[in-house]
Amino acid sequence: MITIPIVIPGRAYEVHVGRFAEPSAMADVLAKGLGDVTGVAVLVDETVGKRSPLVTPLVDALAARLPNVRRHDLPEGEACKNLREIERTTDWLAAQGFDRGVAVVGVGGGAAGDHAGFAAAIYLRGVRFALCPTTLLAMVDASVGGKTAVDLSAGKNLVGAFHQPRAVVADLGFLETLPVRERIAGLAEVVKAGLIADATLLAWLEEQADSLASGVVDPGLTECIAAAVRVKADVVAEDERESGRRAILNFGHTVGHALESASGYELLHGEAVALGMVAALNLGVSLGLTPPSLPKRAKNLLARLGLPIDVEHRLTNTVLLRMDVDKKRRSQAVRFVFVTEPGVTRLQDVPLAELRQRLSGT
Ligand SMILES: NC(=O)c1ccc[n+]([C@@H]2O[C@H](COP(=O)([O-])OP(=O)(O)OC[C@H]3O[C@@H](n4cnc5c(N)ncnc54)[C@H](O)[C@@H]3O)[C@@H](O)[C@H]2O)c1
Ligand SMILES: [Zn+2]
């Protein structure tokens, strides 16, 4: 078990990563993190609830430790990330008679976690919450940093709030029921963490690529998740509200988001980020910011992990135009994250027209 402290002034908490011997151990950690509560609303991604044998024992174990524990299932994945479902959840919280002492516990991937965090941020103007991420992506990325949001028909994550959890418990046991494609997609964010801030993690991924791709969990996955969490934790501790340094977490995401939405979300987020990282590395080379050897090295690793790397033919006009609507765009320039050597980044504004021209030329 590895514990990573998240140091945000006034809102410090811990992320616990590992293979818990049994759900009661998870419940102990959650109960400690939540403190004195009058009730607990466990919001469960319904597919996780059906597939993972850990969910029911976890809810039972929470009920043995904390008062008034109730479970509410959410539509799976992105289907829960909208205001209708938030209304359904908050109506349910009110119907249970939960007061300001309630704690929300989200059990699921990044979608259920975002839903749970946002519901907790707005119910009675804010109640405490904790997360049990059940996808690799949620363990390494979505559960850390306190961003919560739901989608509008105009776009993803357009309504949300910053709200930090009291505890995050990532039990690798959940990964056993996770579809392979989802698990591999989560690895893209781990590669990102290595490229932007942790050269040792990158080298470790290269050593372990084959066993990671085949789904071997141990040894090492706990440390690997912890390393990625530390990268995000360090950045978030410096910049909770995304004014500066946090932008480096967007490495690969400008092109990635455009590809993801242009595919009608056929591409998983992590797959789109893998492609976006290849594009960002190529762009960095063409601007003289990224060493020419790095795109090849990264592509090799991503491909061995089972992630797509064939970005060139996907950069159609539609995709390039979509970067226009990226909310990180600053007037006519895009703030782009470049990797100048493994583990080191540089932010630079690139004029939109130049960006399109260079990307389509690569
Ligand atoms: N808040 C943040 O900082 C942040 C960061 C990154 C991503 N996100 C959000 O996270 C979401 C993506 O998260 P995700 O990739 O975890 O996907 P997800 O939550 O949509 O889950 C993917 C699929 O896997 C299923 N699933 C989850 N865990 C499972 C398990 N253990 N066993 C079997 N099936 C399981 C879900 O039911 C779903 O169908 C997006 O909405 C994204 O916007 C948020
Ligand atoms: Zn991402």
Side-chain angles (χ1 to χ4, degrees), residues 45 47-48 51 76-78 81 109-112 114 134-135 137-138 141-142 147 156-157 174 177-179 182 232:
D45 176 296
T47 298
V48 180
R51 300 236 178 101
E76 70 158 343
E78 207 67 23
K81 273 189 59 165
D114 274 5
T134 65
T135 65
L137 183 118
D141 187 353
K147 278 212 245 174
K156 267 176 64 88
N157 296 325
F174 279 115
T177 54
L178 184 67
E182 294 283 352
K232 187 156 183 191

Side-chain angles (χ1 to χ4, degrees), residues 29-273:
V29 176
L30 285 169
K32 188 163 168 272
L34 289 173
D36 221 359
V37 296
T38 56
V40 179
V42 190
L43 306 183
V44 181
D45 176 296
E46 68 180 353
T47 298
V48 180
K50 278 186 209 133
R51 300 236 178 101
S52 177
L54 296 175
V55 175
T56 303
L58 172 63
V59 177
D60 291 346
L62 284 170
R65 287 160 180 75
L66 297 168
N68 208 10
V69 175
R70 314 261 171 84
R71 168 177 168 173
H72 177 70
D73 283 11
L74 306 172
E76 70 158 343
E78 207 67 23
C80 73
K81 273 189 59 165
N82 57 63
L83 290 169
R84 270 185 327 282
E85 287 301 325
I86 288 292
E87 185 176 16
R88 208 168 69 87
T89 294
T90 46
D91 278 344
W92 175 81
L93 291 168
Q96 304 303 308
F98 283 132
D99 62 17
R100 298 203 60 197
V102 70
V104 173
V105 177
V107 182
D114 274 5
H115 175 111
F118 185 56
I122 62 172
Y123 183 63
L124 302 178
R125 297 190 189 82
V127 298
R128 56 189 88 179
F129 85 110
L131 291 171
C132 294
T134 65
T135 65
L136 186 54
L137 183 118
M139 291 178 186
V140 300
D141 187 353
S143 298
V144 184
K147 278 212 245 174
T148 76
V150 295
D151 307 332
L152 298 179
S153 46
K156 267 176 64 88
N157 296 325
L158 292 183
V159 174
F162 283 95
H163 195 47
Q164 300 292 345
R166 297 291 175 119
V168 176
V169 180
D171 184 348
L172 269 57
F174 279 115
L175 300 180
E176 276 162 22
T177 54
L178 184 67
V180 177
R181 190 176 163 205
E182 294 283 352
R183 187 175 50 74
I184 302 271
L187 288 170
E189 298 282 0
V190 183
V191 174
K192 181 192 82 176
L195 281 168
I196 62 172
D198 189 343
T200 311
L201 171 60
L202 192 67
W204 183 87
L205 287 167
E206 288 173 321
E207 263 166 44
Q208 302 294 325
D210 300 325
S211 68
L212 286 169
S214 66
V216 177
V217 167
D218 286 315
L221 193 59
T222 302
E223 180 48 52
C224 156
I225 294 171
V229 168
R230 275 190 211 104
V231 166
K232 187 156 183 191
D234 283 353
V235 175
V236 167
E238 268 181 52
D239 180 16
E240 188 195 358
R241 302 257 161 167
E242 200 166 41
S243 47
R245 186 163 155 77
R246 195 161 173 158
I248 74 166
L249 298 170
N250 291 328
F251 175 63
H253 280 60
T254 304
V255 174
H257 281 145
L259 287 164
E260 193 182 359
S261 66
S263 78
Y265 296 94
E266 277 293 304
L267 277 174
L268 297 180
H269 177 73
E271 294 167 342
V273 168

